Amino acid sequence: MTARELDAAGIHEPGLRAAYARCRDLNARHGRTYFLATRLLPVDRRAAVHALYGFARHADDIVDDLESTATTAQRAAALTALEEQMKRGLRGGRATEPVIRALADTAARHRIDHRHFTDFLASMRADLTVTGYASFEDLGGYTHGSAAVIGLQMLPVLGTVVPHEEAAVPAAALGVAFQLTNFLRDVGEDLDRGRVYLPADLLGAHGVDRARLEWSRRTGARDPRITAALTAFAAHTRSVYRQALPGLGMLDPVSRPCIRTAFVLYSGILDAIEADDHAVLHRRAVVPRRRRAVVALDGLARALAVRSRTGRRTETATGPCPAAPARTALLPVGGEAA
């Protein structure tokens, strides 16, 4: 967290500044695409976004850190402890975990509904025991907590030019679109964790089941039925992006370049997957560096143009683009996306 970002946000207490800095570091290291997009926001709004990402990433790491030797029971206990600290912090109590300190401060400053954080942790807890979903309807219960609520958390920070309730629908859809994109890109890695987020009924409609996915992952062999199922999932994901698109124009103009850049980069993952013939069980699809740079520069130009029109004098992202992006939503949880 740069001192200028913290000063602009009115964050002065040393311990709280350190907590926000911890969140920014998590965003920079694990959410590279989203970190890049966040740099297009006015300087006074970035700290809050880093706090939201830092909390999401910290919870996700408790559940999914492959380098950890913690058992399921130990992960569940750690998640419970985090939730207890979160509730205490949101009520105004003292939290020792830095990401909770920053989260509680951000929630208070921007009046973010606490239910969004509770719903998020419920989905993270589901990852400890749930290994698959029967249908898109079942998956929707999970993505509400893992993704839709993150879009809703972001709205008060980004600001809107329409009533909050109107912008909430596409904001939630955008969070889900990002999450579904991550599911498709990371299907092989999630399979290694014992999970399949692609609905069983969609797979079954194309003659695919978990055993066939595991066979393809293990052997490296391709199967046109798997490709057809992945193509269908990508088509569904694109439809969710279309639902989210009108929401870009509902945001405060100074926030639009940030979210538009994230929108273009994340949806571009679907293009990269298609260009790689849906080989996601065998390798990760990556948006080409040149494409990322072009999108980032376009976002920068849009941000500068908006600030010029509004007379808003704020720091802008002028440094080099971060390295190639890496699972979740407006805030990409479970890894990174793009």
Side-chain angles (χ1 to χ4, degrees):
M1 186 71 59
T2 66
R4 186 173 183 182
E5 289 173 349
L6 293 167
D7 291 342
I11 301 165
H12 303 298
E13 194 273 313
L16 190 57
R17 288 170 74 93
Y20 273 98
R22 167 62 177 158
C23 292
R24 185 184 190 275
D25 180 61
L26 286 169
N27 196 353
R29 287 191 291 115
H30 300 290
R32 289 170 291 180
T33 294
Y34 200 72
F35 180 73
L36 169 60
T38 300
R39 292 174 67 193
L40 299 177
L41 283 174
V43 65
D44 58 335
R45 303 192 192 188
R46 297 178 201 165
V49 176
H50 293 317
L52 295 174
Y53 183 94
F55 169 70
R57 180 71 205 192
H58 183 77
D60 186 74
D61 281 346
I62 289 174
V63 174
D64 269 346
D65 185 359
L66 292 177
E67 296 182 3
S68 171
T69 59
T71 66
T72 298
Q74 290 169 331
R75 293 175 192 265
L79 207 57
T80 296
L82 182 70
E83 184 167 19
E84 290 173 351
Q85 273 215 55
M86 180 196 76
K87 291 179 178 178
R88 184 166 59 250
L90 292 174
R91 289 194 302 265
R94 180 74 175 179
T96 58
E97 172 55 55
V99 300
I100 297 298
R101 287 202 65 188
L103 178 77
D105 184 69
T106 288
R109 289 172 186 267
H110 297 278
R111 300 180 181 179
I112 301 173
D113 191 331
H114 296 178
R115 291 178 299 177
H116 298 329
F117 306 117
T118 301
D119 289 349
F120 173 76
L121 289 182
S123 285
M124 293 301 96
R125 191 174 297 279
D127 275 336
L128 295 173
T129 56
V130 179
T131 60
Y133 294 88
S135 64
F136 274 116
E137 182 178 2
D138 292 333
L139 183 63
Y142 174 83
T143 57
H144 165 75
S146 68
V149 298
I150 295 182
L152 299 175
Q153 292 170 23
M154 288 285 293
L155 267 189
V157 177
L158 300 173
T160 65
V161 295
V162 300
H164 179 93
E165 296 73 18
E166 183 179 348
V169 174
L174 186 57
V176 172
F178 287 172
Q179 179 78 90
L180 295 177
T181 301
N182 287 327
F183 288 161
L184 185 61
R185 187 202 59 187
D186 298 340
V187 63
E189 296 171 20
D190 288 330
L191 196 62
D192 293 342
R193 296 184 175 99
R195 301 191 207 114
V196 177
Y197 291 103
L198 279 60
D201 61 355
L202 178 142
L203 294 174
H206 296 278
V208 179
D209 57 14
R210 179 188 292 264
R212 182 152 295 277
L213 294 176
E214 291 172 342
W215 164 82
S216 180
R217 176 73 168 169
R218 182 177 65 254
T219 65
R222 303 293 300 275
D223 186 323
R225 293 171 293 183
I226 293 177
T227 300
L230 297 173
T231 301
F233 190 88
H236 173 80
T237 303
R238 290 189 188 278
S239 75
V240 181
Y241 276 107
R242 290 193 292 272
Q243 296 170 29
L245 183 59
L248 298 183
M250 299 179 186
L251 298 174
D252 184 334
V254 298
S255 296
R256 292 174 195 170
C258 166
I259 303 306
R260 183 186 181 277
T261 297
F263 184 105
V264 174
L265 287 174
Y266 270 80
S267 59
I269 297 173
L270 298 178
D271 299 327
I273 290 171
E274 182 178 353
D276 198 31
D277 196 24
H278 299 84
V280 288
L281 278 167
H282 312 121
R283 54 185 174 268
R284 169 174 286 203
V286 177
V287 177
R289 183 179 295 273
R290 181 181 179 85
R291 173 60 176 162
R292 294 197 306 275
V294 169
V295 173
L297 289 173
D298 177 69
L300 175 58
R302 290 171 183 269
L304 290 173
V306 170
R307 295 172 197 184
S308 176
R309 291 196 300 270
T310 61
R312 188 179 184 110
R313 297 181 62 188
T314 51
E315 181 185 271
T316 311
T318 55
C321 296
R327 164 183 118 183
T328 299
L330 257 195
L331 304 170
V333 180
E336 206 247 295

